[in-house]
Amino acid sequence: YYFTQWPSGAVHFGADGEAWRDAVFKTLPEFPDVKVATLTVAKFVEFVVRDDANNWDNNNSKNYRLELAGFGDTEDGRLGRVSTGAPILIVSDLDRTLFGHEFDKPTGRVLDPG
């Protein structure tokens, strides 16, 4: 999931050393500022996010990278798998540095912090 007021865009990614490609965003109808994209990844993925007007979220030109080997989640202090099915990539703004962390629940819109 990616929160943005961009009307459309994609995750531009390279998985497992393969050529970079786009996974186009889909918008959740009930939350217009929530975008979803599906990526097929086995071991690692390097990615950036872009809109159709050529605006990029590229981690300050460092790209984002995620290693999936042993990837899991914690529950009651234990590490466990998030899913036993296909791998899932969730991009989250844990440190609240990405644009759009001001979310208005009643309208489902991201508020402009400026």
Side-chain angles (χ1 to χ4, degrees), residues 39-91:
L39 286 63
T40 302
V41 180
K43 297 181 181 178
F44 71 90
V45 62
E46 186 172 352
F47 65 97
V48 296
V49 182
R50 65 157 181 83
D51 70 1
D52 291 338
N54 208 30
N55 294 303
W56 294 81
D57 175 358
N58 62 9
N59 193 26
N60 295 316
S61 299
K62 293 182 266 182
N63 296 346
Y64 294 98
R65 183 176 172 92
L66 182 62
E67 301 283 339
L68 298 178
F71 190 76
D73 189 16
T74 58
E75 181 178 336
D76 298 326
R78 294 179 303 230
L79 187 63
R81 291 196 62 80
V82 174
S83 171
T84 57
I88 301 169
L89 170 65
I90 300 173
V91 178

Side-chain angles (χ1 to χ4, degrees), residues 3-5 31-33 100 102-111:
F3 289 94
T4 182
Q5 290 182 333
F31 298 105
D33 293 335
E102 291 81 11
F103 184 71
D104 183 44
K105 287 183 181 179
T107 63
R109 303 290 306 189
V110 174
L111 303 174

